[in-house]
Amino acid sequence: MFNPLDTLLIFTLLAAFNLCGGAAIGAGIRGRRALAVLWGILIGGAPLYFGIERLVTLNEWLPLACQLACLVGAALAVGLAMPRLRAFFLKEGMNALMIGTFIMVVAAVLGAWLSRSSLEIISLIVGGVGFLFGAMWFGAGIQQLRGK
């Protein structure tokens, strides 16, 4: 990923997660909902790893600065000035979607941890079933958001 065009593409894709996470953080802080803030930190904060890695390995601070600007800018914009978008992140369907995301992340981490412990079959079963359960919960949230 030393080509400037590759870097631009990757960090543009990551900016979508930073914007979505920042919007959830802003909505959660304004609406006093801890779940939205935690989900925003997960979705918007996880991609910061790539900016930090780029800073440490190549001493390039601009990608991390742009990611942080997207995250903080979205949080401020939604928290202070965008009531319709804030209302979207505080809907009941979003709660189910956020819980499903957390279940999928926990299942993936648990599966990876069990795999490192040389329990491949158990890791596949536990991680797969947990991820499937989280995906169903995520899908239920999407169904609620669509009004069905």
Side-chain angles (χ1 to χ4, degrees), residues 21-89:
I25 291 170
I29 290 173
R30 182 72 183 262
R32 294 187 177 104
R33 300 256 179 100
L35 185 61
V37 173
L38 291 174
W39 188 77
I41 290 170
L42 175 69
I43 296 299
L48 292 177
Y49 167 78
F50 295 102
I52 293 169
E53 181 183 6
R54 194 115 178 129
L55 176 68
V56 170
T57 58
L58 300 174
N59 202 19
E60 292 181 4
W61 57 269
L62 187 61
L64 180 61
C66 290
Q67 283 184 306
L68 288 172
C70 286
L71 191 67
V72 172
L76 289 173
V78 171
L80 299 175
M82 297 179 158
R84 290 179 67 191
L85 190 57
R86 184 170 52 243
F88 173 75
F89 278 103

Side-chain angles (χ1 to χ4, degrees), residues 5 27 47 67 70 72 87 95 97 102-103 121-122 135-136 142 146:
L5 195 57
Q67 283 184 306
C70 286
V72 172
N95 286 340
L97 190 138
F102 283 120
I103 292 171
I121 299 299
I122 295 173
M136 289 188 320
I142 290 175
R146 291 179 62 203

Side-chain angles (χ1 to χ4, degrees), residues 39 43 93-104 131-145:
W39 188 77
I43 296 299
M94 282 301 289
N95 286 340
L97 190 138
M98 292 173 189
I99 291 169
T101 304
F102 283 120
I103 292 171
M104 287 189 286
F131 199 87
L132 181 65
F133 183 69
M136 289 188 320
W137 203 315
F138 186 90
I142 290 175
Q143 289 285 15
Q144 285 180 354
L145 288 173

